[in-house]
Amino acid sequence: MSTTIMETPKVDKILKIGDLILLGIQHIAAMCAGAMAVPIILGNSLGLSQQEINQLVSASFMMSGLGTIIQTLGIKNFIGSRLPMIEGVSFAGVAALSAIGITYSTTDPMTGLQVMFGATLISGLFCFLMAPIFGKLLKFFPPLVSGVVVTSMGLSLIPTAIKWAGGGIPGSPNFGSFQNIALALITLVIILGIQKVSKGFLGNIAILIGILAGTVISIVMGMADFSNASNVALVNINVPLRYGIKFDITAILSLFLVQLVIMTDATGNQLNLSNICGVDEKDSKRLVAGLRGHGLSSMLAGIFNTFPHSLFGQNVGIAAITGVESRFVGTAAGVILLLISFFPKLTTLFASIPSPVLGGAGIVMFGIVAANGIRRLGEVNYVGNKNLMIVAASIGMALIPIAVPEIFKHFPAWAKILFQSAVTLGCLTVLILNIIFNEHGKKSKK
């Protein structure tokens, strides 16, 4: 009598501890700029001191770590996607949170911060409760729809990589200098070179090697500045409700819209990651658990002094490049992020990686996200239907806020939150057109 041995799915395999650490650090190197950007932007908009901004950055790293652990390990298959996803503070909320801060901090910047945290907590609860409803929409995400959504994600991220490659801020005098562009290209060439000559573990950590090598070269070129690390505390404990918390209905409603954008983005990202990891994309229970993870992370973020969370697209790109499917790589990254958050000098060192280095790596990471979407669109049948027109219209709509974001400057605030996201605009367009041209036709034939 023969016995069948069930092989452990690749997503559930535990790698060697050394591999987990290196692959986890690679994920952190790719996401660190994004994890720090939002608290720095919002802290500066409120006029906070550098010490207070550093505390917000540490809080961002802490919740990125905790949120990532929740997602990768899961809680009784009810919360967390159990995929190698990396959580972080979402860029989708920057505009709404800035408006909240400006509105409520006329007398004291701490008031604006307290209202932000209150809105973050309640919006996280909204995301948690809405997760099952989004799960029921999964049937409306065939390759035609998910391909457009993932392609839109990649296209929306690429301008960020290009800005990094130029030096960070387009308006700065040094932006687009020969040094910046050369450093970005050197980093890119190193990553591509490693991918060419190595198909083993070195190939899996090509992004990390490229970023480290680019940083070393930037030091030689005199472009790196790590002096800020000497001006921050050695240890920092992120105390819950350090700044207090306040609840305002207008601020909460504005972040409900932000959470709808985050959930749309997260759905597309999770479908993409599921495809990369060989996991059933139609598993609505996993999607709902992942969305609950985002909601729980945002609730905890409001308590632990930071802002709404989502899955980082650049880390989906890394999973696609490396082909490493183990969710425990994400767990390792989460643990490291959590440990780093207690040592501000370490977060400052990560923050000091020159933008052009991240730009060179970002071109590959973000380009891979778009390429995965294009690959999925290649699975679509374009014969005897209007699918080509649907893709054309949807990608065209997604490109509007990427190419000319100023076109929405006269729109009301709630509409700006929705339409300034290329992912949301592309997703809404392809969902509606797919229902009109494909789903509606199926129903009428029955």
Side-chain angles (χ1 to χ4, degrees), residues 296-307:
L296 178 59
S297 294
S298 291
M299 283 189 277
L300 292 172
I303 296 170
F304 284 96
N305 316 303
T306 189
F307 312 103

Side-chain angles (χ1 to χ4, degrees), residues 1-131:
M1 182 176 177
S2 62
T3 56
T4 303
I5 299 175
M6 297 294 290
E7 186 179 353
T8 303
K10 290 182 179 180
V11 75
D12 294 324
K13 284 189 174 179
I14 301 178
L15 307 181
K16 294 178 182 178
I17 187 68
D19 294 352
L20 287 174
I21 291 172
L22 282 175
L23 290 167
I25 292 173
Q26 176 170 249
H27 273 290
I28 294 169
M31 60 80 70
C32 64
M36 294 177 291
V38 175
I40 290 172
I41 291 169
L42 294 175
N44 283 324
S45 72
L46 290 170
L48 301 181
S49 68
Q50 189 58 52
Q51 182 181 1
E52 289 164 338
I53 291 174
N54 289 340
Q55 289 172 346
L56 291 180
V57 170
S58 293
S60 174
F61 268 76
M62 174 188 167
M63 276 314 306
S64 292
L66 187 56
T68 299
I69 292 170
I70 290 170
Q71 287 287 11
T72 55
L73 294 183
I75 301 174
K76 293 186 176 180
N77 295 335
F78 184 74
I79 300 173
S81 67
R82 290 167 291 118
L83 292 171
M85 60 167 58
I86 310 296
E87 286 271 339
V89 178
S90 174
F91 277 93
V94 171
L97 288 165
S98 295
I100 291 168
I102 292 170
T103 301
Y104 295 95
S105 62
T106 51
T107 55
D108 180 10
M110 288 303 137
T111 302
L113 208 54
Q114 291 162 359
V115 174
M116 286 183 191
F117 295 147
T120 296
L121 191 157
I122 302 300
S123 74
L125 178 61
F126 170 78
C127 177
F128 190 94
L129 297 175
M130 284 287 291

Side-chain angles (χ1 to χ4, degrees), residues 138-147 271 376 380 431 434 439:
L138 192 57
K139 64 181 180 181
F140 295 111
F141 280 81
L144 173 66
V145 174
S146 60
L271 290 175
R376 188 165 304 185
V380 176
L431 277 172
N434 183 55
E439 299 296 331

Side-chain angles (χ1 to χ4, degrees), residues 47-277:
L48 301 181
S49 68
Q50 189 58 52
Q51 182 181 1
E52 289 164 338
I53 291 174
N54 289 340
Q55 289 172 346
L56 291 180
V57 170
S58 293
S60 174
F61 268 76
M62 174 188 167
M63 276 314 306
S64 292
L66 187 56
T68 299
I69 292 170
I70 290 170
Q71 287 287 11
T72 55
L73 294 183
I75 301 174
K76 293 186 176 180
N77 295 335
F78 184 74
I79 300 173
S81 67
R82 290 167 291 118
L83 292 171
M85 60 167 58
I86 310 296
E87 286 271 339
V89 178
S90 174
F91 277 93
V94 171
L97 288 165
S98 295
I100 291 168
I102 292 170
T103 301
Y104 295 95
S105 62
T106 51
T107 55
D108 180 10
M110 288 303 137
T111 302
L113 208 54
Q114 291 162 359
V115 174
M116 286 183 191
F117 295 147
T120 296
L121 191 157
I122 302 300
S123 74
L125 178 61
F126 170 78
C127 177
F128 190 94
L129 297 175
M130 284 287 291
I133 297 174
F134 260 73
K136 292 177 180 178
L137 298 177
L138 192 57
K139 64 181 180 181
F140 295 111
F141 280 81
L144 173 66
V145 174
S146 60
V148 167
V149 173
V150 174
T151 303
S152 300
M153 285 175 190
L155 294 176
S156 67
L157 289 167
I158 287 172
T160 300
I162 296 171
K163 289 176 184 176
W164 286 345
I169 304 172
S172 63
N174 200 39
F175 184 81
S177 69
F178 174 78
Q179 275 190 319
N180 286 340
I181 294 174
L183 182 57
L185 286 175
I186 289 169
T187 304
L188 176 60
V189 168
I190 291 171
I191 293 169
L192 295 176
I194 294 169
Q195 286 287 328
K196 172 64 178 175
V197 301
S198 176
K199 295 182 180 179
F201 183 69
L202 280 179
N204 291 339
I205 60 169
I207 299 289
L208 177 60
I209 295 172
I211 290 174
L212 290 175
T215 302
V216 170
I217 292 168
S218 72
I219 294 172
V220 176
M221 296 173 67
M223 297 174 63
D225 181 10
F226 298 100
S227 60
N228 288 335
S230 61
N231 300 323
V232 297
L234 182 62
V235 178
N236 177 68
I237 305 298
N238 182 30
V239 181
L241 304 176
R242 180 193 291 268
Y243 305 100
I245 193 168
K246 289 185 177 180
F247 302 97
D248 178 88
I249 187 63
T250 304
I252 290 169
L253 290 175
S254 70
L255 284 201
F256 279 5
L257 287 174
V258 169
Q259 285 291 359
L260 290 174
V261 174
I262 289 173
M263 292 173 81
T264 303
D265 192 351
T267 297
N269 263 322
Q270 186 165 327
L271 290 175
N272 190 17
L273 193 55
S274 296
N275 181 263
I276 292 165
C277 295

